[in-house]
Amino acid sequence: MAAQRLDGRLLAAQLETSMAAAIAAGLAKAGRPPGLAVLRVGDDPASAVYVANKEKACARIGAKSFGSHLPANISQAALELELHELNKNPAVDGILVQLPVPASINDRALLQVLDPNKDADGLHPLNLGRLVRGEVGPRSCTPAGVMALLKQAKLPLEGMRAVVVGRSILVGQPMALMLQQANATVTIAHSRSLNLEGICRDAELLVVAAGKPGLIGANHVSPGAVVVDVGIHRRPEGGLCGDVRFAEVEPLARAITPVPGGVGPMTVTMLLLNTLRMWAQRHALAEPCQGL
């Protein structure tokens, strides 16, 4: 049987419709729409595209976007002051510092300045701690998007052998924690793991977030496995690819995410959902998109 494609674009569009309805329903009580502030530092071309996509997504659901494009030579102190101002701004519910930032900026220190209750990307140490403890709080967007895709596809996670390739705080670590909370049995591997092929072949669910183009091929995947490719890279000859060699792996997989169109659209959607939920909490509104 052909592999089921986990369509992030379709699910993102469905969730945007639900979020737009939640905003329309709560607007009278809240007195204002949700506000998402994105700080972009420097002139990274990819960041410009990502920020523009987030601004368009805000417009589609009726949220307000507060974009700031700051010069690459801004000082750490000046950037932290910008964050402090956003922390105090009552119209802003979610804040995101678009990565990467220039080498002169300490992005980990920025997270310490960010109000954890306005942390749209779920990466503040307090929110990572909430995730570890299973407490309510904004969740890291990319792994939360993966969990939403798996749920929408009705793929049972309880008891499943899951392997996460990648150990970053951005994706790998929170991904493993979310899968554990869904009662999967989780192994974290990475590009330096001994016998990576053997570890991956043992997986019924393989989530690849190694940041290495084409790292995973058919020899890493058991027939019938679910394969989620978080990676996205621009090929030298043009076009995009992931961490998984899709053409090799798709014939083996039970379900698989394409690149592009799989996990990527869900990351932006979960950023909006984090912001919307923080807005709803501030105004004692019903939680939007419950169950994700």
Side-chain angles (χ1 to χ4, degrees), residues 205-232:
L205 168 63
L206 181 60
V207 181
V208 188
K212 293 185 176 293
L215 176 68
I216 300 298
N219 51 336
H220 294 81
V221 178
S222 290
V226 176
V227 181
V228 176
D229 189 354
V230 176
I232 186 162

PDB file of all heavy atoms in Angstrom, residues 205-232:
ATOM      1  N   LEU A 205       7.958   4.621  14.887  1.00  0.00           N
ATOM      2  CA  LEU A 205       7.813   6.041  14.554  1.00  0.00           C
ATOM      3  C   LEU A 205       9.202   6.654  14.553  1.00  0.00           C
ATOM      4  O   LEU A 205       9.917   6.576  15.552  1.00  0.00           O
ATOM      5  CB  LEU A 205       6.931   6.752  15.575  1.00  0.00           C
ATOM      6  CG  LEU A 205       6.932   8.296  15.519  1.00  0.00           C
ATOM      7  CD1 LEU A 205       6.373   8.793  14.203  1.00  0.00           C
ATOM      8  CD2 LEU A 205       6.142   8.876  16.688  1.00  0.00           C
ATOM      9  N   LEU A 206       9.598   7.246  13.438  1.00  0.00           N
ATOM     10  CA  LEU A 206      10.919   7.854  13.300  1.00  0.00           C
ATOM     11  C   LEU A 206      10.739   9.344  13.011  1.00  0.00           C
ATOM     12  O   LEU A 206      10.175   9.723  11.982  1.00  0.00           O
ATOM     13  CB  LEU A 206      11.686   7.183  12.160  1.00  0.00           C
ATOM     14  CG  LEU A 206      13.108   7.657  11.872  1.00  0.00           C
ATOM     15  CD1 LEU A 206      14.013   7.455  13.083  1.00  0.00           C
ATOM     16  CD2 LEU A 206      13.688   6.939  10.654  1.00  0.00           C
ATOM     17  N   VAL A 207      11.179  10.184  13.957  1.00  0.00           N
ATOM     18  CA  VAL A 207      11.118  11.638  13.780  1.00  0.00           C
ATOM     19  C   VAL A 207      12.539  12.139  13.577  1.00  0.00           C
ATOM     20  O   VAL A 207      13.397  11.950  14.445  1.00  0.00           O
ATOM     21  CB  VAL A 207      10.485  12.330  15.002  1.00  0.00           C
ATOM     22  CG1 VAL A 207      10.406  13.844  14.777  1.00  0.00           C
ATOM     23  CG2 VAL A 207       9.095  11.773  15.284  1.00  0.00           C
ATOM     24  N   VAL A 208      12.802  12.764  12.434  1.00  0.00           N
ATOM     25  CA  VAL A 208      14.165  13.136  12.073  1.00  0.00           C
ATOM     26  C   VAL A 208      14.307  14.652  12.097  1.00  0.00           C
ATOM     27  O   VAL A 208      13.665  15.359  11.329  1.00  0.00           O
ATOM     28  CB  VAL A 208      14.553  12.588  10.686  1.00  0.00           C
ATOM     29  CG1 VAL A 208      16.040  12.820  10.428  1.00  0.00           C
ATOM     30  CG2 VAL A 208      14.222  11.101  10.574  1.00  0.00           C
ATOM     31  N   ALA A 209      15.139  15.133  13.019  1.00  0.00           N
ATOM     32  CA  ALA A 209      15.382  16.570  13.172  1.00  0.00           C
ATOM     33  C   ALA A 209      16.868  16.786  13.416  1.00  0.00           C
ATOM     34  O   ALA A 209      17.271  17.433  14.373  1.00  0.00           O
ATOM     35  CB  ALA A 209      14.551  17.128  14.317  1.00  0.00           C
ATOM     36  N   ALA A 210      17.680  16.228  12.518  1.00  0.00           N
ATOM     37  CA  ALA A 210      19.135  16.259  12.693  1.00  0.00           C
ATOM     38  C   ALA A 210      19.780  17.474  12.040  1.00  0.00           C
ATOM     39  O   ALA A 210      20.923  17.812  12.341  1.00  0.00           O
ATOM     40  CB  ALA A 210      19.758  14.989  12.131  1.00  0.00           C
ATOM     41  N   GLY A 211      19.070  18.122  11.128  1.00  0.00           N
ATOM     42  CA  GLY A 211      19.643  19.272  10.429  1.00  0.00           C
ATOM     43  C   GLY A 211      20.703  18.894   9.403  1.00  0.00           C
ATOM     44  O   GLY A 211      21.545  19.714   9.047  1.00  0.00           O
ATOM     45  N   LYS A 212      20.631  17.640   8.898  1.00  0.00           N
ATOM     46  CA  LYS A 212      21.606  17.157   7.907  1.00  0.00           C
ATOM     47  C   LYS A 212      20.853  16.643   6.685  1.00  0.00           C
ATOM     48  O   LYS A 212      20.123  15.643   6.783  1.00  0.00           O
ATOM     49  CB  LYS A 212      22.487  16.052   8.499  1.00  0.00           C
ATOM     50  CG  LYS A 212      23.408  16.546   9.610  1.00  0.00           C
ATOM     51  CD  LYS A 212      24.350  15.445  10.085  1.00  0.00           C
ATOM     52  CE  LYS A 212      25.327  15.979  11.118  1.00  0.00           C
ATOM     53  NZ  LYS A 212      26.278  16.940  10.562  1.00  0.00           N
ATOM     54  N   PRO A 213      21.012  17.319   5.541  1.00  0.00           N
ATOM     55  CA  PRO A 213      20.256  16.923   4.350  1.00  0.00           C
ATOM     56  C   PRO A 213      20.491  15.457   3.983  1.00  0.00           C
ATOM     57  O   PRO A 213      21.628  14.990   3.915  1.00  0.00           O
ATOM     58  CB  PRO A 213      20.796  17.851   3.255  1.00  0.00           C
ATOM     59  CG  PRO A 213      21.428  18.997   3.972  1.00  0.00           C
ATOM     60  CD  PRO A 213      21.912  18.465   5.278  1.00  0.00           C
ATOM     61  N   GLY A 214      19.396  14.732   3.755  1.00  0.00           N
ATOM     62  CA  GLY A 214      19.484  13.364   3.256  1.00  0.00           C
ATOM     63  C   GLY A 214      20.149  12.375   4.188  1.00  0.00           C
ATOM     64  O   GLY A 214      20.630  11.334   3.733  1.00  0.00           O
ATOM     65  N   LEU A 215      20.168  12.633   5.469  1.00  0.00           N
ATOM     66  CA  LEU A 215      20.845  11.738   6.414  1.00  0.00           C
ATOM     67  C   LEU A 215      20.201  10.354   6.456  1.00  0.00           C
ATOM     68  O   LEU A 215      20.888   9.339   6.569  1.00  0.00           O
ATOM     69  CB  LEU A 215      20.814  12.351   7.816  1.00  0.00           C
ATOM     70  CG  LEU A 215      21.395  11.501   8.961  1.00  0.00           C
ATOM     71  CD1 LEU A 215      22.899  11.355   8.800  1.00  0.00           C
ATOM     72  CD2 LEU A 215      21.056  12.121  10.320  1.00  0.00           C
ATOM     73  N   ILE A 216      18.891  10.300   6.361  1.00  0.00           N
ATOM     74  CA  ILE A 216      18.148   9.062   6.569  1.00  0.00           C
ATOM     75  C   ILE A 216      17.655   8.519   5.230  1.00  0.00           C
ATOM     76  O   ILE A 216      16.986   9.217   4.463  1.00  0.00           O
ATOM     77  CB  ILE A 216      16.952   9.301   7.515  1.00  0.00           C
ATOM     78  CG1 ILE A 216      17.440   9.811   8.873  1.00  0.00           C
ATOM     79  CG2 ILE A 216      16.117   8.029   7.663  1.00  0.00           C
ATOM     80  CD1 ILE A 216      18.339   8.871   9.629  1.00  0.00           C
ATOM     81  N   GLY A 217      18.002   7.243   4.973  1.00  0.00           N
ATOM     82  CA  GLY A 217      17.571   6.583   3.743  1.00  0.00           C
ATOM     83  C   GLY A 217      16.836   5.292   4.034  1.00  0.00           C
ATOM     84  O   GLY A 217      16.482   4.983   5.179  1.00  0.00           O
ATOM     85  N   ALA A 218      16.634   4.491   2.989  1.00  0.00           N
ATOM     86  CA  ALA A 218      15.869   3.253   3.110  1.00  0.00           C
ATOM     87  C   ALA A 218      16.492   2.285   4.103  1.00  0.00           C
ATOM     88  O   ALA A 218      15.783   1.538   4.780  1.00  0.00           O
ATOM     89  CB  ALA A 218      15.736   2.597   1.734  1.00  0.00           C
ATOM     90  N   ASN A 219      17.810   2.296   4.219  1.00  0.00           N
ATOM     91  CA  ASN A 219      18.480   1.364   5.134  1.00  0.00           C
ATOM     92  C   ASN A 219      18.269   1.713   6.600  1.00  0.00           C
ATOM     93  O   ASN A 219      18.631   0.940   7.482  1.00  0.00           O
ATOM     94  CB  ASN A 219      19.980   1.302   4.827  1.00  0.00           C
ATOM     95  CG  ASN A 219      20.636   2.666   4.758  1.00  0.00           C
ATOM     96  OD1 ASN A 219      19.971   3.669   4.509  1.00  0.00           O
ATOM     97  ND2 ASN A 219      21.926   2.719   4.976  1.00  0.00           N
ATOM     98  N   HIS A 220      17.679   2.881   6.879  1.00  0.00           N
ATOM     99  CA  HIS A 220      17.391   3.282   8.259  1.00  0.00           C
ATOM    100  C   HIS A 220      15.952   2.956   8.677  1.00  0.00           C
ATOM    101  O   HIS A 220      15.608   3.147   9.852  1.00  0.00           O
ATOM    102  CB  HIS A 220      17.573   4.795   8.433  1.00  0.00           C
ATOM    103  CG  HIS A 220      18.973   5.291   8.264  1.00  0.00           C
ATOM    104  ND1 HIS A 220      19.546   5.519   7.038  1.00  0.00           N
ATOM    105  CD2 HIS A 220      19.927   5.616   9.189  1.00  0.00           C
ATOM    106  CE1 HIS A 220      20.772   5.968   7.199  1.00  0.00           C
ATOM    107  NE2 HIS A 220      21.033   6.030   8.490  1.00  0.00           N
ATOM    108  N   VAL A 221      15.108   2.528   7.747  1.00  0.00           N
ATOM    109  CA  VAL A 221      13.666   2.490   7.995  1.00  0.00           C
ATOM    110  C   VAL A 221      13.121   1.077   7.840  1.00  0.00           C
ATOM    111  O   VAL A 221      13.361   0.418   6.829  1.00  0.00           O
ATOM    112  CB  VAL A 221      12.921   3.447   7.034  1.00  0.00           C
ATOM    113  CG1 VAL A 221      11.420   3.394   7.241  1.00  0.00           C
ATOM    114  CG2 VAL A 221      13.429   4.887   7.228  1.00  0.00           C
ATOM    115  N   SER A 222      12.371   0.635   8.841  1.00  0.00           N
ATOM    116  CA  SER A 222      11.690  -0.656   8.755  1.00  0.00           C
ATOM    117  C   SER A 222      10.383  -0.511   7.991  1.00  0.00           C
ATOM    118  O   SER A 222       9.699   0.524   8.109  1.00  0.00           O
ATOM    119  CB  SER A 222      11.384  -1.194  10.153  1.00  0.00           C
ATOM    120  OG  SER A 222      12.561  -1.582  10.814  1.00  0.00           O
ATOM    121  N   PRO A 223       9.998  -1.534   7.224  1.00  0.00           N
ATOM    122  CA  PRO A 223       8.715  -1.465   6.523  1.00  0.00           C
ATOM    123  C   PRO A 223       7.561  -1.226   7.503  1.00  0.00           C
ATOM    124  O   PRO A 223       7.489  -1.825   8.570  1.00  0.00           O
ATOM    125  CB  PRO A 223       8.601  -2.852   5.867  1.00  0.00           C
ATOM    126  CG  PRO A 223      10.016  -3.313   5.713  1.00  0.00           C
ATOM    127  CD  PRO A 223      10.749  -2.762   6.906  1.00  0.00           C
ATOM    128  N   GLY A 224       6.684  -0.292   7.137  1.00  0.00           N
ATOM    129  CA  GLY A 224       5.522   0.012   7.964  1.00  0.00           C
ATOM    130  C   GLY A 224       5.749   1.085   9.009  1.00  0.00           C
ATOM    131  O   GLY A 224       4.834   1.400   9.775  1.00  0.00           O
ATOM    132  N   ALA A 225       6.948   1.658   9.056  1.00  0.00           N
ATOM    133  CA  ALA A 225       7.219   2.715  10.032  1.00  0.00           C
ATOM    134  C   ALA A 225       6.560   4.025   9.598  1.00  0.00           C
ATOM    135  O   ALA A 225       6.337   4.276   8.409  1.00  0.00           O
ATOM    136  CB  ALA A 225       8.725   2.925  10.191  1.00  0.00           C
ATOM    137  N   VAL A 226       6.254   4.864  10.590  1.00  0.00           N
ATOM    138  CA  VAL A 226       5.802   6.234  10.343  1.00  0.00           C
ATOM    139  C   VAL A 226       7.042   7.128  10.382  1.00  0.00           C
ATOM    140  O   VAL A 226       7.819   7.067  11.331  1.00  0.00           O
ATOM    141  CB  VAL A 226       4.790   6.684  11.413  1.00  0.00           C
ATOM    142  CG1 VAL A 226       4.390   8.146  11.207  1.00  0.00           C
ATOM    143  CG2 VAL A 226       3.564   5.779  11.400  1.00  0.00           C
ATOM    144  N   VAL A 227       7.238   7.955   9.352  1.00  0.00           N
ATOM    145  CA  VAL A 227       8.448   8.776   9.234  1.00  0.00           C
ATOM    146  C   VAL A 227       8.065  10.248   9.157  1.00  0.00           C
ATOM    147  O   VAL A 227       7.299  10.658   8.275  1.00  0.00           O
ATOM    148  CB  VAL A 227       9.273   8.379   7.990  1.00  0.00           C
ATOM    149  CG1 VAL A 227      10.535   9.228   7.900  1.00  0.00           C
ATOM    150  CG2 VAL A 227       9.632   6.894   8.045  1.00  0.00           C
ATOM    151  N   VAL A 228       8.586  11.021  10.098  1.00  0.00           N
ATOM    152  CA  VAL A 228       8.323  12.466  10.155  1.00  0.00           C
ATOM    153  C   VAL A 228       9.645  13.192   9.925  1.00  0.00           C
ATOM    154  O   VAL A 228      10.600  13.013  10.683  1.00  0.00           O
ATOM    155  CB  VAL A 228       7.719  12.874  11.507  1.00  0.00           C
ATOM    156  CG1 VAL A 228       7.553  14.396  11.575  1.00  0.00           C
ATOM    157  CG2 VAL A 228       6.389  12.177  11.730  1.00  0.00           C
ATOM    158  N   ASP A 229       9.705  13.988   8.870  1.00  0.00           N
ATOM    159  CA  ASP A 229      10.928  14.700   8.484  1.00  0.00           C
ATOM    160  C   ASP A 229      10.785  16.171   8.861  1.00  0.00           C
ATOM    161  O   ASP A 229      10.014  16.908   8.249  1.00  0.00           O
ATOM    162  CB  ASP A 229      11.145  14.545   6.979  1.00  0.00           C
ATOM    163  CG  ASP A 229      12.497  15.071   6.508  1.00  0.00           C
ATOM    164  OD1 ASP A 229      13.236  15.661   7.324  1.00  0.00           O
ATOM    165  OD2 ASP A 229      12.815  14.887   5.315  1.00  0.00           O
ATOM    166  N   VAL A 230      11.536  16.583   9.881  1.00  0.00           N
ATOM    167  CA  VAL A 230      11.481  17.974  10.345  1.00  0.00           C
ATOM    168  C   VAL A 230      12.437  18.863   9.550  1.00  0.00           C
ATOM    169  O   VAL A 230      12.271  20.072   9.492  1.00  0.00           O
ATOM    170  CB  VAL A 230      11.792  18.036  11.862  1.00  0.00           C
ATOM    171  CG1 VAL A 230      11.843  19.470  12.364  1.00  0.00           C
ATOM    172  CG2 VAL A 230      10.749  17.243  12.643  1.00  0.00           C
ATOM    173  N   GLY A 231      13.443  18.278   8.922  1.00  0.00           N
ATOM    174  CA  GLY A 231      14.469  19.060   8.234  1.00  0.00           C
ATOM    175  C   GLY A 231      13.947  19.754   6.990  1.00  0.00           C
ATOM    176  O   GLY A 231      13.033  19.268   6.321  1.00  0.00           O
ATOM    177  N   ILE A 232      14.539  20.892   6.694  1.00  0.00           N
ATOM    178  CA  ILE A 232      14.264  21.562   5.418  1.00  0.00           C
ATOM    179  C   ILE A 232      15.528  22.303   4.986  1.00  0.00           C
ATOM    180  O   ILE A 232      16.121  23.045   5.770  1.00  0.00           O
ATOM    181  CB  ILE A 232      13.040  22.499   5.495  1.00  0.00           C
ATOM    182  CG1 ILE A 232      12.712  23.053   4.106  1.00  0.00           C
ATOM    183  CG2 ILE A 232      13.226  23.612   6.524  1.00  0.00           C
ATOM    184  CD1 ILE A 232      11.320  23.625   3.984  1.00  0.00           C
TER     185      ILE A 232
END
